[in-house]
């Protein structure tokens, strides 16, 4: 977890959180706290403010506005043709706002009748004007627009104007101007705080937030420092933590992100995450649909599925695909799900969804591609036909680079033990580095109840450095040859490959006799204590019987 006090933008981060808290207070006062609509209101209001301030920030860079005392007034005073000409100079990927959609314009009219309609019209207008750049796609290719309006969530129409006016007031009391010079860590902290109350299980397909420790480890192991002009893909992207960490490692201008997820909420959060982190150019590649049944990123000429340079994934725990399981078992999908389609079980630690995504990821790797996926640790030794077939494929294709087994309770949402499997098709490997990091970390209670394990910066560094150096470390990491892995039924568990070390100490005959006598004496004392306890137990049982 990021130490926010040490972030360069700690002051603006605190102010940003205060603004978010203010928006949540407005919702709570309207009776919408924990309502299903709250996250839409909060995220739309937050994003509107961000886009408004970013647009004004970019306007200030233009010669036409450098000397303007009031940039909003100068912008509004231009005739439409002049304005359109000037906007051609604005930085690509910036949302364009009409004068009547600016926050200052709305704030000056917040006490007028029908203000809720005015606010919604601004949101919808921004969405329509920027649909080509800022929309994400539904499965069939239809654009999902940036905004949908917020007043509709207030059932009592008479209260809508006041509600929207309060939101605008909270937004007007804050500025993102100081934040635009901040980097990924700052916006990662903002994003995590923004969605913290809304990143919960929902129905069959919960959204999960991958811990930053895991995201950091995956990015630093998976991506070499010189990676450039590459594609990064997550087929179960959730809110985007993994792809954003990889993109930050590569450099936002040097990669293109592709994602898919069947959760609408997750895709909305993903879009917000990309916008905050200067990855607007990847928005057209965010798709809302079921990856297993309808993979929407296609290869050249629209044939087959697209192949990617880097793939990261943490599929949602316990996700249910029972509705599509039989369809996926048909011949149509056999090329992608070559190891088979598992039956759905009620096992609390079931791994069916992982077996499906592992196969999809291998099928989506470029011939020189790299991949990392979070799996239940049970997958490393599972004896079932499908997990065995998948592990065998990883070894026999010489792409298994290694495995890191993480501490328990590393996730907030589940106690399931997890490991990270790393694949690398860019070279032919002859061994894998298997690492047992399960004993690392500090256990802390979160919210006074749930226990989580947190890795320190030094522990993360140890994992990354040891893995990237392909080093063996007693009881921590081991180089397992592919021959040894095959001999152990393709087990990826580090513990099965550690050497059992016996320490020998030279003793004189006298020292040996003394050591043996001491140990025999200790053993006799333990036997005597055992006998005494047995007699005591029998006596107490007799008393109970007589009583």
């Amino acid at each position: 977890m990021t130490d926010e006090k040490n972030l360069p933008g700690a002051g603006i981060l605190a102010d940003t959180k205060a603004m978010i808290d203010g928006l949540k207070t407005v919702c709570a006062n309207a009776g919408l706290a924990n309502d299903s609509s709250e996250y839409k209101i909060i995220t739309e209001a937050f994003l509107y403010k961000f886009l408004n301030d970013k647009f004004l920030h970019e306007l200030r860079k233009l010669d036409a506005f450098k000397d303007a005392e009031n940039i909003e007034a100068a912008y509004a005073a231009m005739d439409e043709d002049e304005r359109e000409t000037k906007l051609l100079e604005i930085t690509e990927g910036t949302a364009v706002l009409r004068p009547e959609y600016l926050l200052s314009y709305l704030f000056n009219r917040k006490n007028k009748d029908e203000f809720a309609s005015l606010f919604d019209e601004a949101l919808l207008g921004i969405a329509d004007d920027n649909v080509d750049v800022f929309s994400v796609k539904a499965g069939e290719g239809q654009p999902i627009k940036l905004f949908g309006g917020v007043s509709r969530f207030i059932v009592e129409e008479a209260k809508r104007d006041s509600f929207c006016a309060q939101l605008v007031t909270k937004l007007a009391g804050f500025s993102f101007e100081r934040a635009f010079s901040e980097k990924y860590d700052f916006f990662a902290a903002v994003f995590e705080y923004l969605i913290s109350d809304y990143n919960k299980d929902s129905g069959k397909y919960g959204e999960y937030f991958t811990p930053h420790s895991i995201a950091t480890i995956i990015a630093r192991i998976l991506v070499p420092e010189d990676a450039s002009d590459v594609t990064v893909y997550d087929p179960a992207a959730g809110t985007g933590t993994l792809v954003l960490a990889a993109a930050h490692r590569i450099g936002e201008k040097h990669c293109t992100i592709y994602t898919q997820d069947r959760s609408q909420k997750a895709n909305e959060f993903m879009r917000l995450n990309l916008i905050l982190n200067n990855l607007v150019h990847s928005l057209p590649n965010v798709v809302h649909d079921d990856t297993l049944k309808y993979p929407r990123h296609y290869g050249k000429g629209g044939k087959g599925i697209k192949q990617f340079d880097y793939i990261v994934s943490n599929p949602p725990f316990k996700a249910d695909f029972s509705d599509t399981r039989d369809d996926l078992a048909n011949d149509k999908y056999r090329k992608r799900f070559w190891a088979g389609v598992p039956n759905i079980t009620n096992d609390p630690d079931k791994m069916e969804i992982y077996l499906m995504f592992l196969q999809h990821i291998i099928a989506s790797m470029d011939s020189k591609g790299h991949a990392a996926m979070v799996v239940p640790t049970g997958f490393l030794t599972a004896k079932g036909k499908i997990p065995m077939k998948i592990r065998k494929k990883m070894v026999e294709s010489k792409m298994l680079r290694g495995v890191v087994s993480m501490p328990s309770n590393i996730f907030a949402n589940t106690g399931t033990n997890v490991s990270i499997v790393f694949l690398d098709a860019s070279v032919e490997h002859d061994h894998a580095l298997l690492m047992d990091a399960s004993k690392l970390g500090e256990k802390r209670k979160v919210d006074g109840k749930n226990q989580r394990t947190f890795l320190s910066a030094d522990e993360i560094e140890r994992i990354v450095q040891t893995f990237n150096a392909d080093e063996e470390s007693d009881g921590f990491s081991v180089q397992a040859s592919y021959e040894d892995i095959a001999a152990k039924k393709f087990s990826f568990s580090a513990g099965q490959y550690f050497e059992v070390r016996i320490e020998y100490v030279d003793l004189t005959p006298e020292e040996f006799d003394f050591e043996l006598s001491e140990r025999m004496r200790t053993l006799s004392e333990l036997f005597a204590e055992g006998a005494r306890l047995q007699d005591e137990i029998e006596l107490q049982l007799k008393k109970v019987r007589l009583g």
Side-chain angles (χ1 to χ4, degrees), residues 204-267:
K204 290 184 180 179
Y205 202 82
E207 290 83 43
Y208 293 88
F209 189 91
T210 305
H212 281 295
S213 57
I214 287 185
T216 299
I217 289 167
I218 287 178
R220 290 185 58 194
I221 290 176
L222 187 71
V223 182
E225 290 184 354
D226 59 351
S228 183
D229 191 25
V230 294
T231 55
V232 184
Y233 173 53
D234 190 337
T239 60
T241 310
L242 288 179
V243 284
L244 264 295
H248 174 59
R249 167 85 170 162
I250 297 164
E252 289 78 5
K253 294 181 180 179
H254 301 297
C255 67
T256 304
I257 283 176
Y258 293 79
T259 71
Q260 189 166 334
D261 200 295
R262 70 179 185 180
S263 163
Q264 179 179 328
K265 184 196 289 187
N267 279 290

Side-chain angles (χ1 to χ4, degrees), residues 24 28 82 90 112 163 182 194 208 230 235 250 293 295 302 316-317 348 386 465 472 475 479 511 524 530 537:
K24 291 181 178 181
E82 185 183 8
I90 207 161
K112 292 185 177 294
F163 176 76
E182 299 297 337
L194 179 68
Y208 293 88
V230 294
I250 297 164
K293 190 170 183 182
F317 288 98
I386 295 176
Q465 294 292 348
E472 290 193 329
Q479 291 180 357
E511 288 172 332
S524 297
I537 292 170

Side-chain angles (χ1 to χ4, degrees), residues 120-309:
D120 282 344
E121 285 168 9
L123 295 176
L124 297 172
I126 294 168
D128 287 336
D129 289 348
N130 297 276
V131 68
D132 291 339
V133 178
F134 284 88
S135 63
V136 297
K137 295 177 184 176
E140 298 294 335
Q142 309 95 317
I144 300 174
K145 293 181 180 179
L146 196 58
F147 298 120
V150 298
S151 70
R152 58 198 166 103
F153 298 114
I154 303 299
V155 176
E156 298 178 66
E157 292 187 20
K159 295 183 178 180
R160 290 178 177 175
D161 287 350
S162 173
F163 176 76
C164 290
Q166 291 176 61
L167 289 177
V168 166
T169 300
K170 294 295 183 184
L171 298 177
F174 169 81
S175 173
F176 273 110
E177 185 62 35
R178 288 178 292 155
F180 295 130
S181 61
E182 299 297 337
K183 304 300 181 183
Y184 168 75
D185 287 341
F186 169 84
F187 286 108
V190 170
F191 178 76
E192 184 171 0
Y193 187 77
L194 179 68
I195 71 168
S196 59
D197 290 337
Y198 316 118
N199 193 39
K200 312 292 185 186
D201 292 355
S202 59
K204 290 184 180 179
Y205 202 82
E207 290 83 43
Y208 293 88
F209 189 91
T210 305
H212 281 295
S213 57
I214 287 185
T216 299
I217 289 167
I218 287 178
R220 290 185 58 194
I221 290 176
L222 187 71
V223 182
E225 290 184 354
D226 59 351
S228 183
D229 191 25
V230 294
T231 55
V232 184
Y233 173 53
D234 190 337
T239 60
T241 310
L242 288 179
V243 284
L244 264 295
H248 174 59
R249 167 85 170 162
I250 297 164
E252 289 78 5
K253 294 181 180 179
H254 301 297
C255 67
T256 304
I257 283 176
Y258 293 79
T259 71
Q260 189 166 334
D261 200 295
R262 70 179 185 180
S263 163
Q264 179 179 328
K265 184 196 289 187
N267 279 290
E268 290 174 358
F269 286 149
M270 165 62 75
R271 173 167 56 185
L272 175 59
N273 215 353
L274 291 178
I275 292 171
L276 289 178
N277 286 283
N278 201 29
L279 280 155
V280 172
H281 64 277
S282 291
L283 283 174
N285 307 322
V286 176
V287 179
H288 172 211
D289 210 345
D290 180 349
T291 302
L292 298 182
K293 190 170 183 182
Y294 303 110
R296 297 296 185 180
H297 296 297
Y298 307 115
K300 290 182 179 180
K303 295 180 180 178
I305 59 175
K306 185 174 176 62
Q307 311 290 292
F308 299 94
D309 298 308

Side-chain angles (χ1 to χ4, degrees), residues 59 62 64-65 74-89:
L59 279 186
L62 304 183
F65 299 100
Y75 175 61
M78 287 181 170
D79 63 51
E80 192 169 338
D81 289 339
E82 185 183 8
R83 196 156 50 232
E84 287 185 4
T85 300
K86 293 301 178 186
L87 290 177
L88 294 175
E89 302 174 27

Side-chain angles (χ1 to χ4, degrees), residues 383-399:
K383 294 181 171 60
K385 179 181 177 182
I386 295 176
M388 281 279 287
K389 215 170 171 182
I390 294 172
R391 297 199 305 270
K392 185 177 180 182
K393 167 87 169 178
M394 292 175 178
V395 170
E396 292 186 345
S397 60
K398 299 184 177 180
M399 68 168 65

Side-chain angles (χ1 to χ4, degrees), residues 19 64 68 95 119 121 148-149 157 173 188 287 290 335 349 392 404 419 465 488:
M19 184 266 286
F119 186 38
E121 285 168 9
E157 292 187 20
V287 179
D290 180 349
K335 184 177 180 181
D349 293 322
K392 185 177 180 182
V404 178
S419 296
Q465 294 292 348
K488 293 185 183 292

Side-chain angles (χ1 to χ4, degrees), residues 82-109:
E82 185 183 8
R83 196 156 50 232
E84 287 185 4
T85 300
K86 293 301 178 186
L87 290 177
L88 294 175
E89 302 174 27
I90 207 161
T91 304
E92 187 177 355
T94 302
V96 173
L97 279 66
R98 301 182 192 185
E100 62 270 27
Y101 298 160
L102 293 174
L103 180 58
S104 58
Y105 180 92
L106 295 174
F107 181 77
N108 290 332
R109 288 158 181 78

